[in-house]
Amino acid sequence: MISYRVALWAAGILLAGLLAAFVPLTMASHDLHLSAAGATPVMALALAAAGMVVANRQSSNPIGWLLLGSGLATMLSTDAGLYVLLDYRIGHGTLPLGPAAAFWVWALWPLPFLIGTPALVLFPDGQLPTRLSRWSVRIYVATSTLWIAGQMAGPSMPSPGTRST
C-alpha cells in the first residue's frame, strides 16, 4: 500500500509539472483567453495546496484529497485545452497525444467540478452529517457517473477542420 506521504509527493510533482507546462503551452498556442490570463493556474494551485495541507495533517479526511484532486484535474484540463489548440491550430493534428488531450477536453472537462463539489458537503470534518446527505451524495455520484458515461457514449467528437451546423 502506498503511503499517503508518497501520494502527496507524487501529486506535488505532477502539479509542478502541469504548472511548468502551462507557460510554454500558453505562449506556443497564442491563447491567453482559454487560461483566463493566468487565473486558472492560481485557482488550481490554491485548491491543490489547501488539499495538500489538509491531507498531510489529516490523511483520513477526504476533503483534502478531493481538493487536491480537483486542483490537479483543473490544471490538467487547462493544459490539455492549450495542447489541443496547439495541436489542431498550429500542428494540424500531428502532435503526439493530441487525440488523448482532445478526448480529455471533450469528455472529461467537468471532472474538476465533479471531484471538488463533494468537499462542500463533507465540510468541516469529512463526515456526512445526516442520512439525507448520504443519499444526496449517492445520487450526485450516480448522476455524475451517468453524465460522464453519456458524454463518452454520445455523438462522437467532430474531427478537426469540420464545422457543426
Side-chain angles (χ1 to χ4, degrees):
M1 178 133 191
I2 295 178
S3 156
Y4 76 92
R5 292 199 189 269
V6 172
L8 284 174
W9 272 101
I13 291 168
L14 178 61
L15 181 65
L18 291 170
L19 287 168
F22 171 76
V23 173
L25 283 172
T26 301
M27 295 181 84
S29 66
H30 307 292
D31 193 82
L32 285 176
H33 180 265
L34 177 67
S35 60
T40 303
V42 170
M43 180 186 67
L45 182 60
L47 282 168
M52 285 181 152
V53 168
V54 173
N56 187 36
R57 293 184 182 209
Q58 299 177 354
S59 63
S60 62
N61 189 337
I63 294 173
W65 298 104
L66 290 169
L67 292 175
L68 176 58
S70 183
L72 286 171
T74 298
M75 205 60 233
L76 183 61
S77 292
T78 301
D79 284 355
L82 290 168
Y83 190 83
V84 167
L85 286 175
L86 180 64
D87 185 25
Y88 291 107
R89 281 188 185 166
I90 298 167
H92 305 292
T94 59
L95 295 178
L97 300 176
F103 176 76
W104 179 272
V105 171
W106 173 72
L108 301 176
W109 65 266
L111 204 54
F113 305 107
L114 299 176
I115 294 171
T117 302
L120 299 172
V121 178
L122 294 169
F123 186 79
D125 60 356
Q127 301 294 320
L128 293 170
T130 65
R131 288 180 75 188
L132 180 61
S133 62
R134 287 186 206 108
W135 275 103
S136 66
V137 168
R138 287 182 188 136
I139 291 169
Y140 174 80
V141 168
T143 56
S144 298
T145 303
L146 288 173
W147 188 81
I148 288 177
Q151 282 286 100
M152 291 181 187
S156 63
M157 290 187 300
S159 59
T162 61
R163 294 183 181 211
S164 57
T165 54

